[in-house]
Amino acid sequence: DDIVQEALARAWVKRAQYNGSRGTASAWLLAITADQARKAARKVRPAGVLEEFDGPGVRSDVEGRIDVGQALGELPARQRLAVDCFYFADLSVADTAAVMGCSEGTVKSTLSDARARLRTLLEVRE
């Protein structure tokens, strides 16, 4: 909530700098939000380790989601941002490029590298 609030405040202050020819307003706002999230992440200290929970009601897909979450956490920041924008925020390649401040080709390459890394990280070993 704090990150979004700060991003909206910064967007309001910088509203004159918005240029519609460089991308959509939502991509511009997401770029500001991503910047605020990076700044906040530098200030946050790790919160300790969560204990494992084996109680009733644990869904069978929780383990898979934890694996994916951990694998996403191991991606470099740039790849993680591309994945978050494209897959989780459902942005187009063009909007993701605007958020990341790079070309569409770079976004496609970064997403390809991220998928390859995730395949390696999520490989099932028996």
Side-chain angles (χ1 to χ4, degrees), residues 101-116:
C102 62
S103 71
E104 291 181 29
T106 301
V107 170
K108 292 175 185 177
S109 174
T110 302
L111 286 170
S112 177
D113 293 345
R115 286 189 298 267

Side-chain angles (χ1 to χ4, degrees), residues 21-41:
S21 66
R22 293 181 60 202
T24 65
S26 63
W28 177 72
L29 184 57
L30 281 171
I32 293 171
T33 305
D35 184 52
Q36 291 303 311
R38 279 190 296 274
K39 288 178 183 177

Side-chain angles (χ1 to χ4, degrees), residues 2-12 29 32-34 36:
D2 292 339
I3 292 169
V4 172
Q5 189 175 31
E6 183 63 30
L8 290 173
R10 294 197 46 87
W12 179 256
L29 184 57
I32 293 171
T33 305
Q36 291 303 311

Side-chain angles (χ1 to χ4, degrees), residues 20-112:
S21 66
R22 293 181 60 202
T24 65
S26 63
W28 177 72
L29 184 57
L30 281 171
I32 293 171
T33 305
D35 184 52
Q36 291 303 311
R38 279 190 296 274
K39 288 178 183 177
R42 285 186 287 231
K43 296 177 187 175
V44 175
R45 294 185 183 149
V49 180
L50 296 176
E51 293 184 27
E52 195 168 322
F53 177 76
D54 285 332
V58 175
R59 292 177 35 189
S60 61
D61 63 341
V62 169
E63 206 170 283
R65 288 191 317 220
I66 290 171
D67 289 345
V68 171
Q70 289 173 341
L72 287 170
E74 292 187 33
L75 291 177
R78 188 161 180 83
Q79 289 179 3
R80 195 169 48 249
L81 177 60
V83 168
D84 286 344
C85 289
F86 187 76
Y87 291 107
F88 296 112
D90 201 28
L91 295 180
S92 66
V93 171
D95 287 344
T96 300
V99 169
M100 294 177 64
C102 62
S103 71
E104 291 181 29
T106 301
V107 170
K108 292 175 185 177
S109 174
T110 302
L111 286 170
S112 177

